[in-house]
Amino acid sequence: SLASTAVTCFTRGLDLRKGTEDVLCPANCPLWQFYVFGDGVYASLSSVCGAAIHSGVITNAGGPVRIQTLPGQENYPAVNANGIQSQVLSRWASSFSVTAGPKKAALEAVGRSVSTARPSTGKRPKKTLDKKAGNKDCKADIAFLIDGSYNIGQRRFNLQKNFVGKVTVMLGIGTDGPHVGVVQASEHPKIEFYLKNFTAAKEVLFAIKELGFRGGNSNTGKALKYTAQKFFSLENGARKGIPKIIVVFLDGWPSDDLEEAGIVAREFGVNVFIVSVAKPTTEELGMVQDIGFVDKAVCRNNGFFSYQMPTWFGTTKYVKPLVQKLCSHEQMLCSKTCYNSVNIGFLIDGSSSIGESNFRLVLEFVSNVAKAFEISDIGSKVAAVQFTYDQRPEFGFADHATKERVLSAIRNISYMSGGTATGDAISYTTKNVFGPVKDGPNKNFLVVLTDGQSYDDVRGPAAAAQKAGITVFSVGIAWAPLDDLKDMASEPRESHTFFTREFTGLEQMVPDIIRAICKDYLDSKQ
């Protein structure tokens, strides 16, 4: 049959289930919102319509596309084509290619394309419009770094305030929605108000209206560095697990250097956007210290984090596209740190040689490792399985979305007591605990805790786990044989194998395990 599936701008290869599928891409998808990895062969994490435009099979007018599933590969290259910058990915489990789909299907889609073309954050479902709560779908803590220099002047400063006000209203500020604050850049930066000061759009609008123009040089670099370091503290209202964003408004060009400020912001996990207005003309370029100032400051130089407006006059049409960017939390690449982007599964030995009181020490170790991570529905996740001859899933990655609930679930694990079949337990965990998240955005880790010799083979199951993209750490206590521990651990085995004679020695290992997980996370991102 020629029936093709209507998809949205955001459907990814991994959302499609068949080996070959005909899909119909909608028209007018915003190009900057596409996430595409590779060139010709795309990682299944990529948007299918984005890949189709990137490879030239369709244009932004949409149309029929045939998606062919392919095996995963190493090294998907970054290539700029047809208005889309694809990104590098070092390895992914599956891929796809795109070719032109059957023409007849195009007719059926005409009526549908409009409704699917809307980006997820554009039209809010009515239910989230609880006034006080704000737009719950938009997860962001935002500092607007406004230009208060002589470059912009009093008249355009007021137009800038109007624009920021409109963005604020459209964001849907509220207790559970985005929070915003404002910093003014001029000779010296001044924090005008913090995230915690207002949670209603009305109050923010009033505060913006009251802002006075400071004048002076446009030391944007100085202001950006200051904002990244000082603005997002918990006592000033920053929220854990919510992306931190600085939107820098720049009229013309900065008087100082932005490069160092950009580095500091990235180190602090802050996503920097630059909105450049009336950028330098050809005759002004001689006065600009560094023509590439935008690329040096933004979170990633991939086109997503820079935004241009020709002038401060008639900017209303620029409000919505900017808001859509600020609400795309999965695109906030600079928020991703090892603490909020990993899944950690604990495989806990419940055999009878351990005993009740030592079992509690094992659970304490698990809690202390879990505690270090930012666990949330968009952050890191934790799961636990206990094993003897059998396996007992204690909780899965999707069961607990807050750190408190995870820690309480760990405390409530009861001791099984029995034999030791570690190999079986690893196979069980790979399939049932990691299976459901294998194509997700987080990096997967398995920590195996055992106090003795396994009755079955551990080498095969551990190799299969690693092949499925799981990094394995082995933690041995008391009588656990070093050969078993090394056979289970990921390469390089030395840095993935831990051992202590006594159960009380587990406590000292906590920082080492956390550091090792973060090192692996960072290495995988290089």
Side-chain angles (χ1 to χ4, degrees):
S1 85
L2 284 179
S4 45
T5 320
V7 292
T8 72
C9 304
F10 301 100
T11 305
R12 300 167 302 176
L14 56 89
D15 300 325
L16 303 173
R17 288 284 164 254
K18 298 184 198 137
T20 304
E21 190 144 355
D22 287 321
V23 301
L24 206 58
C25 287
N28 307 323
C29 289
L31 291 186
W32 51 262
Q33 286 205 330
F34 280 132
Y35 239 162
V36 175
F37 300 88
D39 180 37
V41 173
Y42 299 95
S44 60
L45 202 55
S46 311
S47 147
V48 292
C49 298
I53 294 175
H54 183 266
S55 63
V57 170
I58 55 169
T59 65
N60 208 15
V65 177
R66 177 161 286 176
I67 305 296
Q68 178 73 46
T69 305
L70 301 168
Q73 61 176 39
E74 311 266 330
N75 301 329
Y76 296 87
V79 174
N80 198 334
N82 301 315
I84 294 177
Q85 172 66 55
S86 75
Q87 298 185 50
V88 177
L89 196 59
S90 55
R91 173 185 306 137
W92 197 252
S94 56
S95 318
F96 64 85
S97 63
V98 280
T99 48
K103 281 282 175 282
K104 179 169 176 290
L107 299 171
E108 304 166 16
V110 176
R112 278 197 297 240
S113 62
V114 182
S115 60
T116 52
R118 293 250 160 73
S120 55
T121 48
K123 274 270 180 274
R124 290 194 231 129
K126 286 283 178 277
K127 69 174 189 322
T128 57
L129 281 182
D130 164 9
K131 232 357 195 200
K132 256 184 146 51
N135 177 12
K136 296 191 183 95
D137 297 336
C138 182
K139 303 197 188 307
D141 279 345
I142 303 171
F144 291 114
L145 181 51
I146 60 173
D147 189 337
S149 68
Y150 290 138
N151 255 2
I152 189 169
Q154 179 73 60
R155 175 185 180 191
R156 293 196 303 262
F157 181 77
N158 288 336
L159 291 171
Q160 174 180 230
K161 292 200 312 190
N162 286 351
F163 181 76
V164 172
K166 286 178 186 158
V167 170
T168 297
V169 170
M170 190 167 248
L171 277 167
I173 289 172
T175 46
D176 303 341
H179 292 181
V180 304
V182 169
V183 182
Q184 186 173 167
S186 53
E187 196 67 49
H188 304 291
K190 176 173 184 235
I191 295 180
E192 302 283 3
F193 58 89
Y194 286 104
L195 296 163
K196 66 174 179 195
N197 294 131
F198 312 109
T199 52
K202 262 218 306 277
E203 303 167 347
V204 174
L205 281 180
F206 183 73
I208 290 172
K209 216 161 132 185
E210 296 294 295
L211 294 177
F213 174 59
R214 292 169 68 84
N217 276 324
S218 69
N219 289 331
T220 312
K222 184 176 174 181
L224 176 54
K225 184 174 168 185
Y226 179 81
T227 308
Q229 290 172 323
K230 303 268 187 279
F231 183 84
F232 294 101
S233 65
L234 294 172
E235 57 271 23
N236 289 331
R239 294 167 292 175
K240 274 209 162 98
I242 300 286
K244 306 181 188 55
I245 298 172
I246 299 177
V247 183
V248 179
F249 289 95
L250 235 177
D251 186 291
W253 61 92
S255 348
D256 62 352
D257 181 42
L258 292 187
E259 187 163 15
E260 191 204 346
I263 293 168
V264 169
R266 289 189 284 275
E267 280 173 358
F268 275 80
V270 176
N271 299 275
V272 176
F273 283 80
I274 300 252
V275 177
S276 43
V277 185
K279 63 181 213 275
T281 60
T282 323
E283 65 211 73
E284 289 174 315
L285 283 177
M287 310 176 215
V288 183
Q289 284 176 15
D290 181 358
I291 298 168
F293 64 84
V294 171
D295 292 346
K296 303 249 166 78
V298 287
C299 160
R300 287 281 193 286
N301 184 3
N302 61 1
F304 180 75
F305 294 95
S306 46
Y307 197 63
Q308 284 177 8
M309 302 197 294
T311 99
W312 286 109
F313 300 94
T315 53
T316 307
K317 65 172 176 296
Y318 293 99
V319 173
K320 189 173 174 185
L322 180 60
V323 167
Q324 283 168 350
K325 284 189 183 227
L326 299 180
C327 290
S328 309
H329 69 80
E330 67 289 345
Q331 306 256 29
M332 298 300 162
L333 302 178
C334 287
S335 301
K336 295 225 165 290
T337 64
C338 114
Y339 298 106
N340 63 19
S341 307
V342 296
N343 296 324
I344 307 173
F346 292 95
L347 186 50
I348 304 166
D349 186 340
S351 61
S352 39
S353 53
I354 292 182
E356 184 72 54
S357 62
N358 284 337
F359 188 72
R360 292 287 129 207
L361 291 174
V362 172
L363 294 184
E364 215 161 284
F365 168 84
V366 172
S367 285
N368 287 334
V369 173
K371 226 178 250 166
F373 293 87
E374 292 165 29
I375 298 164
S376 76
D377 56 343
I378 60 168
S380 288
K381 299 184 172 49
V382 171
V385 172
Q386 189 180 167
F387 71 98
T388 53
Y389 281 136
D390 289 325
Q391 303 85 36
R392 183 171 81 194
E394 302 291 354
F395 55 91
F397 289 125
D399 292 342
H400 301 301
T402 67
K403 190 182 299 191
E404 292 68 43
R405 288 188 47 195
V406 164
L407 295 177
S408 132
I410 295 168
R411 274 196 302 276
N412 290 329
I413 293 175
S414 60
Y415 175 45
M416 282 167 79
S417 185
T420 314
T422 316
D424 264 358
I426 293 173
S427 302
Y428 172 88
T429 308
T430 301
K431 177 169 182 264
N432 299 293
V433 177
F434 286 96
V437 296
K438 97 168 174 299
D439 289 331
N442 288 1
K443 185 162 169 54
N444 292 318
F445 292 91
L446 173 62
V447 179
V448 182
L449 291 132
T450 180
D451 83 322
Q453 174 93 50
S454 176
Y455 297 137
D456 60 1
D457 166 60
V458 294
R459 190 177 291 174
Q466 292 165 31
K467 206 168 166 210
I470 303 165
T471 301
V472 182
F473 285 97
S474 58
V475 178
I477 311 129
W479 304 108
L482 206 55
D483 290 349
D484 270 13
L485 298 176
K486 285 212 164 108
D487 282 345
M488 291 188 279
S490 287
E491 299 281 354
R493 297 185 193 277
E494 281 57 50
S495 57
H496 292 82
T497 308
F498 293 83
F499 178 78
T500 170
R501 271 264 157 258
E502 306 291 333
F503 282 88
T504 48
L506 282 170
E507 198 180 340
Q508 282 94 50
M509 281 200 243
V510 170
D512 300 334
I513 291 266
I514 294 164
R515 209 169 296 126
I517 288 173
C518 285
K519 182 179 181 326
D520 281 354
Y521 173 81
L522 284 171
D523 289 349
S524 76
K525 294 286 166 250
Q526 295 310 320

